[in-house]
Amino acid sequence: MRNSIFLRAMSALLFMGAAGAAIGLLSAQSGTIRFVPPDLEDTSWLQARREAQLKAATRASVFHDFQFTDRIGESGISFRHRIVDDAGKTYKAAHYDHGNGMAIADVDRDGRLDIYFVNQVGGNGLMRNLGNGRFEDITASAGVAVPGKVSVSASFADIDNDGDPDLFVTTVRGGNMLFENDGKGRFRDISAASALDYVGHSSGAVFFDYDRDGLLDLFLVNIGRYTTDTTAGEGYTFYVAFEDAFSGHLKPERTERSILYRNEGKNRFVDVSAKTGLADAAWTGDASAVDVNDDGWPDLYLVNMQGDDEYYENVGGTRFERKSREVFPRTSWGSMGIKVFDVNNDGRLDIFVTDMHSDMSEIVGPELEKLKSDMQWPVEFRGTGKTSIWGNSFFLKEGPGKFREVSDLLNLENYCPWGPSVGDLNADGFDDVFIASGMNYPVRYMVNTVRLNDRGARFMDAEFVLGIEPRQGGVTTPFFELDASGKDKDHPDAAGATGHVTVWGARGSRSSVIFDIDGDGDLDIVTNEFNAAPMVLVSNLSEKRAVRYLALKLTGTASNRDGLGAVVKVTAGGATYTKVMDGKSGYLSQSAYPLYFGLAGAEAVESIEVAWPSGRRQRVEPPITLNSVIEVREPEEGTKGQ
């Protein structure tokens, strides 16, 4: 367990909204640069960690002789994330600092995946993929900027089964928005007509077909009320957060239930939460559909950011039964992100959950980041802990409704994580993990985490090995400006300064997606940064070794067009690889993109098997072309499963 490095009082000070207790100064011709905290100027610990990780990698068997390079400059991506003041200048420990998601889809059906970035201030951005790692900004022509609103998450899904991805965006009290795609990458606002224009403190949004009628339904995740009715902002407007927003889970009057919407067809949705018994009031930030009991019906796992997670079992598409502690006796307490994948290629779908808030009871040094948290908050704030895990959790599936928690055995603990993106980064047939991490101002720099899967037995530390850390361009970024001699003289970060002060804080990622940006057959990573430009991390794996892969695009007929909920098995070189088409691509994100199967050294694909949401089962026989995108269309008739 972690020993205390900073006094508990420092944690209390931080999370009650006081910032700038410790500061660093640099003089500049245009004024003063102030680093908060001052240790941002000392990055020697990053080099020490790099050397240790590189040394450890020499003993690893998993392939790691490749690198990522940030190509944001060459990409043409012009988007830059901006924050509301309550995540910077007037910092409060509120849920604004959770930042924003991103999502990918082929919006104009040209065969290339485009990127949608979500923003707090200044509007969102849609970047069209031109090929070869180049993008252009088509936000204005597409009509999806969502100006004047504080956006949170993005989900691409074909709600009307017409073959193109539609877009749903959640916001903070600005009204959620649904955009219908015309098939050419231009979108029409149908929020009000669809009845999905809920106004509240929405977070993640998960499309899935809970009743298996072939239409995608929506589970809207609402956090809880963390803002007052007072507005502020210069050049934009946002709702000011409660000073005690981080304690909102203790205040029943701030409860905001999540909502299950049924797709009635013709782009109309109806709230069926009460009818189905799915009335969750936890401080939930995201969720995932997953068939926990293997009965063919998609269940829901909800990540609770200030309490234990919840699990609701789907009973025949008619109702949901809460079986949280029955199936998952102990879960992460401060969960943020979730991804379902088969870690060891045993054909069972496991569940990985990242926990940010447990880490925040105590700010610790880098040497303790891979240990579970030494919980410092009192029992009345976080419960007894009897059903809690103070850190990440990994539920290894051992049978229908049976899981074993193995996060530490797999080396999957890290510090201040948001959410995972999963993909086979080295194309060896085992899925790897990128975890967007870091708290930003007013806390120290925290690294993004990359773990390479060593044949399902353990994950290898790899962010420094692969060149993702240290970041190109340094670990700091400007956060806000102060007039230390005028209107901002009483700001904590203006203490001892005069004139113009630029406050710099730590860089950090909030969300990420993994896909092949440049069409060279290996997987790349794009992030949505907090108060900064994205990273476009391009892999050179295909230059280091021969890459064998298969990418599968599913097209449902009786099932929903995206095939969301389908389980796919690819057998190649005598090995079988299993993936679920759930669209979960990163924190606060759901995408419409092909399933990528790294095939190690396989010379041929023996078969593809698909268990469709409709219950139909399909087998695709050779010839199957390696290193290509294959469309698998659901047969009009087929073998029926459950």
Side-chain angles (χ1 to χ4, degrees):
M1 300 297 286
R2 294 179 174 131
N3 296 315
S4 178
I5 288 185
F6 293 137
L7 296 175
R8 297 185 187 185
M10 184 172 181
S11 291
L13 177 66
L14 171 64
F15 282 99
M16 290 309 293
I23 51 181
L25 289 171
L26 268 180
S27 296
Q29 288 184 346
S30 59
T32 299
I33 294 176
R34 173 160 277 176
F35 293 95
V36 181
D39 61 11
L40 288 176
E41 296 180 75
D42 179 11
T43 58
S44 59
W45 65 274
L46 288 169
Q47 183 59 28
R49 178 178 280 194
R50 177 179 181 274
E51 291 172 0
Q53 195 173 102
L54 288 172
K55 182 178 180 180
T58 62
R59 302 187 296 271
S61 59
V62 60
F63 183 80
H64 57 270
D65 183 21
F66 64 107
Q67 295 277 299
F68 289 86
T69 303
D70 189 355
R71 303 289 189 192
I72 181 63
E74 301 95 319
S75 72
I77 292 175
S78 56
F79 174 83
R80 189 185 191 282
H81 187 268
R82 292 177 58 202
I83 58 174
V84 298
D85 278 352
D86 273 1
K89 185 175 181 179
T90 56
Y91 179 83
K92 300 177 179 69
H95 300 85
Y96 280 127
D97 67 10
H98 290 189
N100 304 86
M102 61 188 299
I104 56 175
D106 181 4
V107 301
D108 54 1
R109 297 195 287 195
D110 66 353
R112 294 186 291 264
L113 292 171
D114 312 299
I115 311 175
Y116 187 74
F117 293 96
V118 181
N119 211 348
Q120 292 186 351
V121 175
N124 305 332
L126 178 59
M127 305 294 141
R128 180 173 178 262
N129 192 336
L130 301 174
N132 298 316
R134 294 280 301 170
F135 294 81
E136 65 174 346
D137 188 339
I138 61 167
T139 312
S141 62
V144 291
V146 192
K149 298 186 181 186
V150 179
S151 296
V152 181
S153 72
S155 299
F156 278 116
D158 188 352
I159 63 166
D160 47 13
N161 291 332
D162 65 352
D164 54 51
D166 308 299
L167 174 65
F168 183 70
V169 179
T170 65
T171 77
V172 182
R173 297 181 67 174
N176 299 330
M177 303 195 72
L178 179 64
F179 296 94
E180 182 185 18
N181 192 340
D182 70 353
K184 299 178 181 179
R186 294 186 296 268
F187 294 80
R188 179 171 65 98
D189 180 2
I190 59 170
S191 310
S194 69
L196 291 183
D197 55 346
Y198 174 84
V199 179
H201 297 78
S202 296
S203 188
V206 179
F207 285 92
F208 73 123
D209 186 3
Y210 83 87
D211 54 3
R212 293 179 13 183
D213 66 350
L215 295 172
L216 288 176
D217 312 300
L218 172 64
F219 183 65
L220 173 66
V221 179
N222 294 319
I223 297 174
R225 185 173 180 181
Y226 57 87
T227 64
T228 69
D229 291 331
T230 301
T231 58
E234 296 183 14
Y236 69 97
T237 301
F238 75 102
Y239 287 94
V240 176
F242 287 111
E243 292 288 346
D244 63 349
F246 198 66
S247 300
H249 65 293
L250 304 177
K251 304 177 186 299
E253 67 275 14
R254 297 185 190 172
T255 295
E256 194 168 324
R257 292 184 182 275
S258 297
I259 302 171
L260 177 64
Y261 293 98
R262 183 178 187 273
N263 189 338
E264 298 286 304
K266 298 181 179 180
N267 295 341
R268 286 282 302 174
F269 290 78
V270 175
D271 181 351
V272 293
S273 308
K275 180 180 178 181
T276 60
L278 186 56
D280 185 76
W283 279 62
T284 303
D286 212 342
S288 182
V290 51
D291 186 2
V292 164
N293 58 358
D294 295 341
D295 66 351
W297 295 94
D299 311 305
L300 277 174
Y301 189 106
L302 281 57
V303 290
N304 186 354
M305 64 178 65
Q306 285 171 269
D308 298 323
D309 295 341
E310 302 290 354
Y311 162 63
Y312 290 87
E313 194 164 277
N314 187 340
V315 183
T318 60
R319 70 183 192 278
F320 286 83
E321 293 184 357
R322 182 174 178 268
K323 294 189 175 182
S324 307
R325 301 292 76 80
E326 180 180 336
V327 179
F328 301 96
R330 297 177 68 240
T331 70
S332 298
W333 179 89
S335 304
M336 291 293 160
I338 179 172
K339 179 58 183 172
V340 175
F341 69 105
D342 181 3
V343 70
N344 55 6
N345 292 340
D346 67 354
R348 302 187 181 107
L349 293 170
D350 313 302
I351 303 173
F352 180 39
V353 175
T354 52
D355 179 341
M356 148 71 76
H357 278 162
S358 288
D359 287 341
M360 300 317 297
S361 82
E362 179 185 40
I363 309 301
V364 303
E367 69 278 10
L368 300 175
E369 289 185 352
K370 292 177 65 178
L371 300 178
K372 291 289 191 287
S373 297
D374 185 4
M375 179 53 63
Q376 302 296 309
W377 286 319
V379 170
E380 55 269 22
F381 182 85
R382 46 76 172 176
T384 64
K386 292 180 180 179
T387 56
S388 303
I389 297 169
W390 311 123
N392 298 343
S393 51
F394 192 95
F395 298 105
L396 186 70
K397 190 165 188 175
E398 297 182 322
K402 295 181 180 179
F403 295 84
R404 179 164 54 98
E405 203 287 305
V406 294
S407 56
D408 289 339
L409 289 174
L410 291 179
N411 185 35
L412 280 175
E413 191 57 56
N414 78 314
Y415 194 56
C416 289
W418 296 104
S421 293
V422 171
D424 190 354
L425 297 177
N426 56 7
D428 69 349
F430 290 85
D431 275 334
D432 311 301
V433 178
F434 177 93
I435 307 175
S437 308
M439 269 293 294
N440 306 95
Y441 171 90
V443 191
R444 71 170 177 86
Y445 180 71
M446 303 159 186
V447 301
N448 280 321
T449 297
V450 183
R451 301 282 161 83
L452 293 179
N453 188 340
D454 192 355
R455 305 190 64 80
R458 187 171 172 83
F459 284 83
M460 165 190 157
D461 299 334
E463 59 271 6
F464 291 92
V465 173
L466 300 181
I468 289 173
E469 293 285 355
R471 290 166 177 260
Q472 294 170 217
V475 303
T476 59
T477 189
F479 260 73
F480 52 89
E481 311 288 327
L482 294 174
D483 178 3
S485 299
K487 63 178 182 178
D488 301 316
K489 61 183 176 61
D490 294 327
H491 192 283
D493 294 334
T498 58
H500 182 266
V501 176
T502 302
V503 175
W504 285 54
R507 291 174 65 184
S509 304
R510 282 302 182 274
S511 188
S512 56
V513 291
I514 296 177
F515 70 108
D516 185 359
I517 295 170
D518 48 8
D520 64 354
D522 56 34
L523 293 177
D524 312 297
I525 305 168
V526 181
T527 69
N528 195 1
E529 299 293 290
F530 195 64
N531 201 37
M535 289 193 295
V536 180
L537 301 168
V538 177
S539 171
N540 69 351
L541 176 70
S542 61
E543 300 170 17
K544 294 287 188 174
R545 71 185 309 187
V547 174
R548 293 182 175 87
Y549 73 95
L550 191 66
L552 293 184
K553 180 184 183 299
L554 300 182
T555 300
T557 54
S559 303
N560 66 86
R561 184 67 174 259
D562 286 338
L564 288 179
V567 176
V568 181
K569 294 181 182 293
V570 171
T571 299
T576 298
Y577 309 102
T578 303
K579 296 184 189 292
V580 60
M581 174 63 80
D582 60 7
K584 292 293 290 185
S585 52
Y587 180 55
L588 299 177
S589 308
Q590 188 175 29
S591 297
Y593 63 125
L595 292 175
Y596 178 97
F597 290 81
L599 300 178
E603 297 290 343
V605 176
E606 283 95 70
S607 68
I608 301 169
E609 297 178 52
V610 183
W612 292 92
S614 64
R616 293 175 181 171
R617 297 184 181 274
Q618 179 180 9
R619 183 179 175 90
V620 180
E621 302 285 356
I624 299 169
T625 305
L626 279 175
N627 292 10
S628 64
V629 179
I630 302 293
E631 180 181 4
V632 178
R633 185 177 181 86
E634 183 180 14
E636 296 300 327
E637 296 181 0
T639 304
K640 277 284 187 178
Q642 293 170 308

